[in-house]
Amino acid sequence: MPKDNGIGASPKRREDVRFLTGAGNYTDDINVHGQAHVHFLRADVAHATINSIDTSAAEAMPGVVKIFTGADFAEVGGIPCGWGVTDRHGNPQQEPRHPIIADGTIRHVGEIVAAVVADTLEQARDAAEAIELDLGDKPAVVDMAAALGDGSTKVHEDLTSNLCYDWVFGNPDDDAVQAAFDSAAHVTTLELVNNRLVANPMEPRVAIGDYSRGTDEYTLHTTSQNPHVIRLLMCAFVLGLPEHKVRVIAPDVGGGFGSKIFHYAEEAFCTFAAHACGRAVKWTSTRSEAFISDAHGRDHVTKIELALDADNNFTALRTNTMANMGAYLSTFSTSVPSYLHGTLMAGNYKTPIVQVNVKTVFTNTVPVDAYRGAGRPEATFQLERVIDKAARELGADPIALRRQNFITQFPYETPVALTYDTGDYVATMDKLEEVADVAGFAARRAESEKNGKLRGFGINCYIEACGIAPSNIVGMLGARAGLYDAATVRVNATGTVSVFVGAHSHGQGHETSFPQVVAEMIGIDESMVDIVHGDTGRVPFGMGTYGSRSIAVCGSAMVRATEKIIAKAKKIAAHLMEASDADIELKDGQFTVAGTDKSVAWGDVTLTAYVPHNYPLEELEPGLEETAFYDPANFTYPSGAYACEVEVDPDTGKVSIERFSAADDFGNIINPMIVDGQVHGGLGQGIGQALLENAAYDEDGQLLSASFMDYAMPRADDVPFYQVDHSCQTPCTHNPLGVKGCGEAGAIGSPPAVVNAVIDALQSGGKNVTHIDMPLSPARVWAAMNG
Amino acid sequence: MYEFEFEKPSTVAEAVAALADEDAQALGGGQTLIPTLKQRLAMPSKLVSLTGIPQLKELSDNGGMLTIGGAVTHAEVAAAAAGSYPALAELASHIGDPAVRNRGTIGGSLANNDPAACYPAAALGSGATIVTNAREITADDYFQGLFETALNEGEIITAVRFPVPEKANYQKFLQPASRFALVGVFAAKYAAGVRVAVTGASEEGVFRWHEAEAALDASFAPDALNGLSVDAGSMIGDLHGSKEYRAHLVGVMTKRAVAAAG
């Protein structure tokens, strides 16, 4: 009998009622009295010197409040980078200034060149057209290999080159690694591209800056996944404002996928301009602006080599990757191709030697940063593709080859610095073979072939590291932030509970799942518990939501705070029942004294805490409110195995996904329905990357796919009904709930399965195609078949 | 968008008069024009809506000749032509999405002549007649290249007359992002001969594939097209497909259209 309350139940998402009935409160729904509007004049060339900007005509236009250029921001800081990577020689990454508004040089299409604040948005746009720019064109740096070549134009004249850092990880001994390859019985090599993506959350970014002259306080409403991080970065590094005078509110946020983690120029601008203009300043991104100003994702070019012995055991793995940073370093950009990618290169396998080489490159393109999975999809894609290619070259069964090399003993220390606490890769593969109906594939293929279609089956495994931690270790690796989280549990006098969390819900369903945990612990109904998030004025300092960290890190803080609440409540109950607090038990919202029939209800105790007439005031403070900060001891390591079945139309190259099966191990699960939904969404984005999405630049640095007319987002009919199973559960060993993250798994684990399946289909049709770069559009598949 | 005047006349004559103003522009369903205005890519002084003119909303089936008013929406065509001209109804029912089909008009689509739109293939493939306030133009004379038509300034499409073929079919291979036609082929068999019109593929816009028409005149069967191909040199090559790919798809989609027409 499934539970209908608490941990393990699947109540419908309570927040969906307001989202689906138009009662949500998104940032663009907010209007501040007297607000002005800003229109950003954005660069339409990728690289140029700004010889002059003449705003005089524009300033005289109707409704114009003030026009800002780079010069107005000379006295404030640039957008900071939150992670400093040390290169293979021990040197720091090259870190250029990242101005709020371009100061002297334009470095990517979409960069802000001037900002017009006016009474209305249309007036601001009219005035922006009257700004006269005198630009000196410079050659655009777009291709990464060319950017690293001798004599390339530099994106930043003040840096030594376009190289941000040259990093090595795992085994740094080139000779030892080469020796392993020299002695291998077989080496499989694969060169591939991990395509650049645009996150495209349904809600574009919005920022409203407001300033109160009376209190000298600022309020920034913004579409953020982590309002405290934005406040810290903006106050301490950009605008130099006292943190206690700034409140950052991220109300309902319509999807982030990583792209709303980062501190963006528009947020700092609106805050700064509100003070400078003496009135609130609002900006709502258009979709067109989003394409050229939201941080992009992925964009790696990789060569991966896998060495195997005569028995098909993996003996060594070596990768060489170029990763695009774009024109500036976005907030967590440098961590993605380094620690979030290199640490995952062992995958699910006991390969003894792993060497990861990464060069990060500046180009005249939009900055690149974390996108759902962030480094881990890039690692998984290359590893699971090269294993599949090896299996094909060796005539080995791709499932058997993986099984043979699985890590089976836990905890396991990888050669790339992680310690996997738990997992059971054999179990998830067993489950996958069952749910994917591997046995029935031959019959399905025969049926497809009867209809003139090629059918392919592809699998892959994945491991990911969620809830990045602990703070002291990530600090040693270059993180300029802690990665704990916080929760305050405030019990009201009548027994209802408000939980103030540092995590931020922008599609994850926290408002439903977090209360399930507290309700379970106390034994009250979920309807008595609400979550408050997204407001630095209300919640304790938390790090927000990304990297599948919310329940594992913030949920743990919430558990710790609730434990404190229960401990205190038991003391109050003990006093009321004249018993020792060690003898008090809490079950189903009733406090009892062990071995007696005495009891008091949860509500009696909470009322007593706030009306302390009969209360041990000498020993115990009144009230019932506790805060906990939680810094995890380790990452959590969800893992799983995915299978994709495709049909390829040999006449057109069109791929259709016929089946997709997922067997995940997320440890303990709070709300299975929400976990299903998270996996479904991740799979949709992974399939989007594999088949459809591509942020393509031309050689002049113009984004060719700069709208939904050319950037193909997955639609409902591009994806199949999924078979998703998460019955394999090895609970995390080091957090109180035994939970792992589930938000990114689908996006991490699905692209290689799709590509492996398409290659399998083409091979079954007699086509000697060993690789196609994503997205596997009909044109690319057809070209590969007829190449 | 920039400021403009707006008029919504109720007769063709009033509309023609309103469009005489310099930089006035006709507005059908607005499915192309309104986004263009929002992007500030056009600056008409005045928009003249044609959707309030009852004459342009008429639709009649006159024994083998389907006449569709210029302001009839795609959804209305999809419903009204389902019995009389199913291939045309099917085409109309797969233009864009429901919002586009309920706002977009046949006159608007043909006047715009987007090189990847569906209706130009139907009009050219059916040998339709474009009726305006001033004259009648055969489809063969009407389409003159990308976004170019025989319409004069201020000329309004009042109706389109489609002769109903013996059999016909439209096959659209979707551009993955926009879901416009990467290649769309309309094949129709008339007593007077077969017509094959191709949209989405050519740098010159919608065109008739005469070689295929001749082969299909001899035998209206997919195999009749074996060995035929269009010249890749004149095809569009872009992010979504090379010239060679589009040329190949023209052959595949034509065969499929013939097969589906039965």
Side-chain angles (χ1 to χ4, degrees), chain A residues 70-154:
Chain A
D72 293 296
F73 289 84
E75 301 301 314
V76 307
I79 300 285
C81 177
W83 200 298
V85 174
T86 302
D87 78 0
R88 66 171 69 229
H89 309 296
N91 298 319
Q93 66 194 17
Q94 293 208 81
E95 212 165 319
R97 177 174 160 83
H98 183 176
I100 305 299
I101 296 182
D103 53 0
T105 304
I106 287 165
R107 295 191 177 85
H108 69 85
V109 169
E111 183 167 9
I112 300 170
V113 177
V116 181
V117 177
D119 290 338
T120 72
L121 183 57
E122 290 300 314
Q123 288 172 332
R125 293 182 69 172
D126 288 342
E129 291 178 3
I131 294 175
E132 291 190 18
L133 283 180
D134 177 15
L135 301 180
D137 283 353
K138 300 178 77 169
V141 179
V142 179
D143 179 75
M144 285 194 280
L148 294 178
D150 291 339
S152 170
T153 302
K154 285 194 286 186

Side-chain angles (χ1 to χ4, degrees), chain B residues 115 144-147 200-207 231-238 243 246:
Chain B
Q144 300 191 346
L146 306 187
F147 300 104
S202 169
E203 290 178 334
E204 303 299 318
V206 66
F207 70 97
D231 173 26
S234 61
M235 297 291 112
I236 296 168
D238 63 14
K243 291 169 175 282
R246 277 189 173 80

Side-chain angles (χ1 to χ4, degrees), chain A residues 122 125-126 129 288 649 651-654 692 694 696 704-705 708-712 715 717-718 778-779 782, chain B residues 1-2 38-40 173-180 238-242 244-245 248-249 252-253 256:
Chain A
E122 290 300 314
R125 293 182 69 172
D126 288 342
E129 291 178 3
S288 303
D649 179 345
D651 291 335
T652 64
K654 178 153 176 60
L692 295 160
N694 191 27
L704 297 173
S705 47
F708 288 142
M709 291 297 280
D710 288 300
Y711 188 93
R715 291 160 160 97
D717 65 352
D718 289 315
W782 181 80
Chain B
M1 55 182 72
Y2 300 107
K38 287 167 82 172
Q39 300 259 19
R40 296 193 160 205
F173 192 82
L174 300 177
Q175 194 258 53
S178 68
R179 296 204 170 180
F180 274 66
D238 63 14
L239 194 58
H240 305 289
S242 63
E244 291 72 24
Y245 182 58
H248 168 76
L249 283 181
V252 173
M253 291 299 120
R256 289 184 180 178

Side-chain angles (χ1 to χ4, degrees), chain A residues 393-636:
Chain A
E393 289 172 356
L394 293 164
D397 175 70
I399 295 178
L401 180 63
R402 286 175 169 86
R403 284 181 178 274
Q404 170 183 345
N405 286 283
F406 275 160
I407 295 160
T408 53
Q409 302 290 320
F410 296 89
Y412 177 81
E413 285 190 28
T414 73
V416 278
L418 297 182
T419 302
Y420 299 165
D421 60 341
T422 59
D424 188 344
Y425 309 147
V426 173
T428 46
M429 184 59 86
D430 288 346
K431 180 56 71 175
L432 180 75
E433 290 199 44
E434 176 194 326
V435 297
D437 185 24
V438 175
F441 173 70
R444 294 192 294 274
R445 170 175 275 175
E447 186 66 25
S448 293
E449 288 175 347
K450 229 178 352 180
N451 297 322
K453 301 285 174 58
L454 302 174
R455 195 173 186 108
F457 181 80
I459 63 139
N460 66 266
C461 300
Y462 77 89
I463 167 101
E464 69 144 321
C466 301
I468 180 170
S471 291
N472 54 356
I473 300 292
V474 297
M476 282 161 53
L477 300 181
R480 295 164 177 167
L483 284 158
Y484 51 85
D485 221 292
T488 296
V489 177
R490 178 180 298 162
V491 181
N492 300 305
T494 53
T496 60
V497 184
S498 298
V499 187
F500 300 80
V501 294
H504 187 279
S505 189
H506 38 278
Q508 293 84 352
H510 295 173
E511 293 174 33
T512 302
S513 58
F514 277 42
Q516 291 180 246
V517 174
V518 175
E520 172 92 18
M521 290 177 72
I522 300 174
I524 55 178
D525 193 83
E526 286 152 22
S527 63
M528 293 173 67
V529 186
D530 264 355
I531 296 299
V532 177
H533 65 92
D535 184 348
T536 63
R538 299 183 72 191
V539 308
F541 195 112
M543 297 304 292
T545 286
Y546 40 81
S548 305
R549 69 192 301 275
S550 300
I551 201 71
V553 185
C554 189
S556 297
M558 181 176 69
V559 168
R560 293 287 184 243
T562 306
E563 286 169 352
K564 292 184 192 179
I565 290 285
I566 291 171
K568 183 173 179 182
K570 281 183 174 176
K571 289 183 180 167
I572 300 169
H575 177 84
L576 291 175
M577 293 187 282
E578 298 176 340
S580 161
D581 43 297
D583 294 333
I584 304 296
E585 293 173 353
L586 171 62
K587 188 164 185 292
D588 296 335
Q590 291 286 323
F591 296 90
T592 55
V593 180
T596 75
D597 60 357
K598 287 187 185 173
S599 77
V600 289
W602 167 252
D604 295 329
V605 170
T606 61
L607 188 65
T608 302
Y610 289 93
V611 188
H613 297 168
N614 175 15
Y615 197 88
L617 285 167
E618 334 51 69
E619 299 156 31
L620 213 54
E621 295 172 5
L624 204 47
E625 175 169 330
E626 299 287 351
T627 294
F629 284 75
Y630 180 84
D631 202 289
N634 191 356
F635 292 85
T636 72

